[in-house]
Amino acid sequence: MNGMSMPPDPFDNDPGMPQGPGGSTATLERTEQREQLEPGDAERFAHYVRKEKILESALSGEPVIALCGKVWVPGRDPNKFPVCPECKAIYDGLRPGKDDGNKDQ
């Protein structure tokens, strides 16, 4: 083994290993990554839309329009989100009609 040298130790500069008699401190940086599914996830609400429009959207993939004007393609469980205060105010202001039971979130 004369003339052959060992490759450098990859852990020589390990900040977790003490360096010398007094030891040393090192800071390990950790980047935290949060995945946001869609922009504005923190502001998401369950919106009021006619049931037949939800069904049409499920079949065609076309977006729906909520009472408050939000346009989106439904795809998540609305029971997991609070009701949109704007949709609720608009719905509460509507006169009861023959199809009063057609609110959906």
Side-chain angles (χ1 to χ4, degrees), residues 1 5 10 25 37 54 97 103:
M1 287 189 113
S5 63
T25 60
L37 297 177
I54 297 283
K103 81 172 179 179

Side-chain angles (χ1 to χ4, degrees), residues 20-103:
S24 68
T25 60
T27 303
L28 295 175
E29 291 187 33
R30 182 180 82 185
T31 56
E32 186 175 324
Q33 295 178 349
R34 291 187 180 187
E35 182 178 343
Q36 191 170 15
L37 297 177
E38 295 176 15
D41 262 358
E43 302 167 0
R44 295 183 58 201
F45 293 106
H47 296 273
Y48 286 4
V49 178
R50 290 184 157 268
K51 286 184 182 180
E52 62 268 12
K53 295 295 183 182
I54 297 283
L55 180 60
E56 286 176 23
S57 175
L59 295 173
S60 69
E62 293 293 315
V64 295
I65 303 174
L67 288 178
C68 68
K70 176 176 171 88
V71 179
W72 86 107
V73 177
R76 295 198 169 79
D77 182 3
N79 295 322
K80 294 182 179 181
F81 301 98
V83 174
C84 170
E86 199 173 338
C87 280
K88 182 162 177 40
I90 294 169
Y91 181 79
D92 289 344
L94 295 175
R95 293 182 294 168
K98 62 180 179 180
D99 57 348
D100 185 37
N102 275 347
K103 81 172 179 179

